[in-house]
Amino acid sequence: MAAFAFLPIRAEAQSPYSPMFWSFEGGVGLAIPMGEIADAAESGPSFSGAASYFLRPRMALRVEGALDMLGTKGAIDPNFQILHVTGGIEYHLADPMGSTTLAVDFGLGVSTLDSDAFLLQNHPRPGLHTVGLVNGSYFSGNAGIKAGLNFARHAETGVPMVTLFAQADVRYVMTDEEETHVYGELNHVHGFSSIMEIPFSVGLRVNFP
C-alpha cells in the first residue's frame, strides 16, 4: 500500500484536470468461498458499494462496504451473511482520463458474521437439540482489481462521468474456530479460523469533478 501511495508518476503533473473529485460505485455479483469455509459454505450473491476521493489523478482514498450472502452444504440451509466494511487506497494503473480504466484497491477493516438460528440435533448429547447461531465481528482485509469502460465526459474538465466495470476481489476474515464450530458441524467439519472469499462482480461508477 505504501509503495503505491508514493510512486512517482510524471504524467500526473501534466494532467488536464484537477485530481480532487469524488467517485461513487455500486456492484452486484457472486461470492465464492475458499479455504477452510469452502467445506461448509456455498457460493451466494454479493452486493457492494464504495466511495473514493482522488488525492492525485491516479490515487484515491477509498471506503467500501459489501454484503456476501452464503449458503451451507448441509441438509439445513440457514442464511449466512458477512458484512464487510473497509478503508484503504485505490490506485489506477491506466490513466483514468482514457476510454478504459484499470485499477487496484487495498483495504483493511471489520467483517461481521450473522446467521439465522438453526437446530443441531443430538448435540451435545443424543436426543437433545441445541440452537446454533454464528455471529461476531472480526478483523479483515480486502484487495481487488477493476477493469472498465468510461462514458459521458464532463464538459469543463473532460473527466469521465460514468464507468461500467467488472471486478474481482479477495476478502480475508480472521475468525475464531471455537465461535464458528456450530456452523461447521452442520456439514460434519470443524470450525474455521479464517474465511476467504473471491467475489466477482459487475457495476456502475459515477464521478463528480
Side-chain angles (χ1 to χ4, degrees), residues 72-78 118-120 181-189:
T72 180
K73 294 181 178 179
I76 306 174
D77 190 17
F118 49 88
L119 290 178
L120 291 173
H181 75 280
V182 291
Y183 187 79
E185 287 183 17
L186 289 175
N187 307 278
H188 308 291
V189 298

Side-chain angles (χ1 to χ4, degrees), residues 66-83:
L67 176 64
D68 299 327
M69 305 175 69
L70 305 178
T72 180
K73 294 181 178 179
I76 306 174
D77 190 17
N79 292 321
F80 184 42
Q81 304 175 83
I82 309 176
L83 176 63

